[in-house]
Amino acid sequence: MFIIFQTFPSLFLFPAAEPHMELCQWWRHIVVFLLHAWIPSCFAQTTPPVRSSPTPTPQTAEGPETLKFRLSGFPRKHNEGRIEVFYKGEWGTICDDDFSLANAHVLCRQLGFVSATGWTHSAKYGKGTGNVPIWLDNVQCSGSERSVSVCKSRGWGNSDCTHDEDAGVICKDERLLGYVDSNVDENKVEEVRLRPVFTIATKRMPVTEGVVEVKNKDGWAQICDNGWTPKNSHVVCGMMGFPHEKKVNKNFYKLYAERQKNHFLVHSVACLGTEVHLAACPLEFNYGNATESCPGGMPAVVSCVPGPLYAQSTAMRKKLKMPSTIRLKGGAKYGEGRVEVLKGSEWGTICDDRWNLLSASVVCRELGFGSAKEALTGARMGQGLGPIHMNEVQCTGHERSLWNCRYKNITAEDCKHTEDASVRCNVPYMGYEKTVRILGGRTRYEGRVEVLYTETNGTLRWGLICGEGWGTEEAMVVCRQLGLGYANHGLQETWYWDSSNVTEMVMSGVKCTGDEMSLSQCQHHRTVSCQKAAARFSAGVICSETASDLVLNAPLVQQTTYIEDRPLHMLYCAAEEDCLSKSAAKANWPYGHRRLLRFSSQIHNIGRADFRPKAGRHSWVWHACHGHYHSMDIFTHYDLMSANGTKVAEGHKASFCLEDTDCDEGVSKRYECANFGEQGITVGCWDLYRHDIDCQWIDITDVKPGNYILQVVINPNYEVAESDFTNNAMKCNCKYDGHRIWVHNCHIGDAFSEEAEKKFEKYPGQLNNQIS
């Protein structure tokens, strides 16, 4: 012992004032490490008392040899899911309290993976079903332990959690050398499909009806339909991207089943109907002679009702209307985004407290998609602006609308927009990505666009798109169609991406709104008409997984608007930068004045990527008058319009110097105009143009008294990619009596309901000077 002390003196520094168990555990680690000896007194099991704020203690009741582990719930891959432990003959879950990446490392190694890449909370993979116990709570591992059984915790079966807090792990998809997993169920269901059996059905997209098949190591196998219920069908339809199921005429399929050699892998499926994946349902696997284990030999058949976006006929699309009180914003793909709900006449977000897959699935199905793939927290799809309408939403999964679920109203202290809830829904497979491709770029996110077309003889060939008129909106459709996120740029020349032997232009005049699912839904010339038909002038795209999102602070505009009569001799610089109306050129300079409608403009970036000017520094324009570089030719339009939308005055404020004026707490400024600095607006920051600086106005010298609409549009030509362009416009009611101006009801373009927006258009100003 003296030799050990001399060799490792630091190991014998006693901890100060620790409880008996902590001291005993400390000695145990020393002796095991140095001597591999067993000291029974130190390993006696001690059950900790129940405390409201527990001090975790080491658990040694079960060694790693007697514990089993598995991934359950909805594992999108074999290496992720809800973590479950087999203890005392029963499978149970682990609570997410105090959970960490270190815990996940230990658990992933026990599952046979080299390490963890992440972990999940709040039952992301679904809750433990039935009377499944919560075996562990407040688990605290260092990450180096051989088993979770030696990590600190409250003790086996001692928990104050519910299954809403079940933890999950995401393991690195790399197995430990020589690992043989005795816990792996080779029949675990991961992939499910609907296989149409009639020729006419195989040619339609999406596939809404067919035989349910699950994938296993030997290929695809059927499910026995004995005891099959509509609840099972509801789950399968949700996985396929459809909100509802409908009754199937089995007589059509009996003849098919008799002629086929069916391999039944699964039987006795008993879903509740709220599961997001068939794997979460109780089910049994067949062993031995699988065909004979299904009396009657009939495979399960499911028929689904598609949502409005995916209905196969125009009549059906009109019949299936989208809901008017819920929407998704900021997502790159259909079926994903920040959840917003309409309360009164104003749209608002949902706080992510207790947000889970059950509630997310109610949202997805209400919007005409399937069940939820992910319930995202922490404003993962960008932050909203305005009110937060709901908190602690708790759905059972059977509700037709989110408003039918239990929830709490919000107080100012409850939530911030950093906690906005989002979803990713299952959507039907449409095969759109097979008809377009991009080639030649430095990464898979950029390249020349090529489309698949059919020649007169029926042969399929790839062709180019004419770059004339090609822009951000068209690029948005291509990026979405390929699942590559948002469009950074739509390029009209791609000579530097000449990477294929495709040279023929097969499409021209493409014009999209940006909302289409594929290029085939956009307008284009019936016959190709392209002035620059060389391949170098074909269309290209640069896509990105994230994008910025600019929003104007509408209340600040309303608070800061006023009229100033400014002498002409103080406006030479503004005139040089074209910030006055055309009639100013005929004025008797330097005498007289111009009447200016002034207001402050505070532009927030609430997206997930910094807003950067499209042009590089080499093309920025120096304006000596105001002493800085302008990085964008057209960044904002300021307009005063009549009730019928006719423009009566404009601000002519085109070029901007983009910088971070201020930021949210915890966010640092990155962009500054001074000294030819980098320009842009950081996520979580805003660029403020005060009402008292040059050109921050509309010249209304020639405007007659009346009721008007003040409109401000950011990034009007879509020069820079954003995740949401619908919130770029802001409108206000104005009344001008020739001397004073009243501005009210300022709001961004998508903040109100359609009814409130229509009322706004019909009533552009008040009738007296009392603002209601």
Side-chain angles (χ1 to χ4, degrees), residues 254-261:
K254 282 182 179 178
L255 184 61
Y256 160 79
E258 291 170 0
R259 293 176 177 176
Q260 299 296 314
K261 185 179 180 181

Side-chain angles (χ1 to χ4, degrees), residues 232-252:
N232 298 343
S233 298
H234 192 67
V235 173
V236 172
C237 287
M239 293 175 63
M240 299 298 109
F242 304 115
H244 308 294
E245 75 290 347
K246 64 180 180 181
K247 193 174 181 180
V248 179
N249 188 341
K250 288 188 178 182
N251 293 327
F252 284 113

Side-chain angles (χ1 to χ4, degrees), residues 14 29 46 55 140 151 157 224 258 268 293 308 337 367 480 523 529 532 537 550 675 690 743 770:
F14 287 83
H29 282 303
T46 303
T55 301
Q140 295 178 28
C151 298
C224 178
E258 291 170 0
S268 301
S293 62
L367 288 167
R480 181 186 299 117
Q523 294 181 5
S529 174
K532 298 179 180 179
F537 297 110
L550 298 188
N675 302 317
R690 285 173 50 91
V743 176
Q770 299 298 314

Side-chain angles (χ1 to χ4, degrees), residues 607-620:
R608 292 188 290 150
D610 294 352
F611 185 95
R612 300 297 310 280
K614 183 178 180 179
R617 293 163 67 108
H618 64 280
S619 61
W620 294 356

Side-chain angles (χ1 to χ4, degrees), residues 322-342:
M322 293 288 281
S324 57
T325 59
I326 190 165
R327 68 186 184 186
L328 300 181
K329 300 286 283 185
K333 305 172 187 176
Y334 278 98
E336 70 173 32
R338 178 178 63 252
V339 183
E340 295 191 353
V341 292
L342 186 66

Side-chain angles (χ1 to χ4, degrees), residues 155-303:
W156 290 99
N158 186 0
S159 169
D160 60 359
C161 297
T162 67
H163 283 296
D164 286 322
E165 301 166 83
D166 283 345
V169 294
I170 304 164
C171 304
K172 186 176 180 180
D173 194 4
E174 183 180 340
R175 285 288 184 182
L176 291 169
L177 190 63
Y179 182 84
V180 179
D181 189 358
S182 60
N183 301 324
V184 170
D185 185 348
E186 293 293 339
N187 290 313
K188 183 163 52 177
V189 173
E190 290 188 1
E191 290 188 56
V192 181
R193 74 179 183 185
L194 280 184
R195 184 168 62 85
V197 298
F198 301 112
T199 306
I200 189 171
T202 59
K203 297 180 180 179
R204 290 180 179 175
M205 295 297 278
V207 175
T208 58
E209 182 174 305
V211 174
V212 184
E213 295 188 333
V214 296
K215 194 173 185 180
N216 68 340
K217 58 183 179 179
D218 299 321
W220 292 92
Q222 289 79 42
I223 299 177
C224 178
D225 80 333
N226 287 342
W228 187 265
T229 68
K231 291 180 180 180
N232 298 343
S233 298
H234 192 67
V235 173
V236 172
C237 287
M239 293 175 63
M240 299 298 109
F242 304 115
H244 308 294
E245 75 290 347
K246 64 180 180 181
K247 193 174 181 180
V248 179
N249 188 341
K250 288 188 178 182
N251 293 327
F252 284 113
Y253 290 89
K254 282 182 179 178
L255 184 61
Y256 160 79
E258 291 170 0
R259 293 176 177 176
Q260 299 296 314
K261 185 179 180 181
N262 297 302
H263 173 61
F264 297 103
L265 177 70
V266 181
H267 67 97
S268 301
V269 180
C271 300
L272 298 173
T274 58
E275 296 87 350
V276 296
H277 197 284
L278 204 61
C281 301
L283 43 84
E284 295 180 17
F285 293 92
N286 292 322
Y287 300 96
N289 191 335
T291 304
E292 292 183 0
S293 62
C294 184
M298 180 74 181
V301 179
V302 166
S303 183

Side-chain angles (χ1 to χ4, degrees), residues 377-492:
T377 58
R380 284 274 300 281
M381 293 288 179
Q383 297 182 33
L385 202 69
I388 302 173
H389 286 324
M390 304 172 85
N391 188 21
E392 295 193 26
V393 178
Q394 289 180 274
C395 303
T396 65
H398 294 290
E399 296 87 354
R400 287 279 179 170
S401 170
L402 195 69
W403 289 108
N404 299 137
C405 302
R406 292 171 52 199
Y407 69 93
K408 290 183 179 179
N409 291 315
I410 290 288
T411 64
E413 296 78 24
D414 282 340
C415 264
K416 297 180 180 178
H417 282 296
T418 52
E419 301 169 81
D420 284 342
S422 310
V423 297
R424 282 198 178 102
C425 306
N426 286 312
V427 298
Y429 176 70
M430 302 297 291
Y432 288 136
E433 78 286 354
K434 293 180 179 179
T435 59
V436 66
R437 67 186 184 186
I438 57 175
L439 297 173
R442 296 160 295 182
T443 71
R444 70 186 188 94
Y445 288 92
E446 64 181 28
R448 175 180 292 173
V449 181
E450 297 182 7
V451 291
L452 193 63
Y453 73 103
T454 307
E455 292 187 312
T456 52
N457 62 2
T459 306
L460 290 173
R461 291 186 61 183
W462 290 97
L464 304 176
I465 299 175
C466 180
E468 293 169 16
W470 185 265
T472 303
E473 290 153 296
E474 290 72 37
M476 285 166 63
V477 177
V478 171
C479 293
R480 181 186 299 117
Q481 193 171 345
L482 291 171
L484 297 178
Y486 308 94
N488 247 347
H489 297 297
L491 305 165
Q492 298 184 358

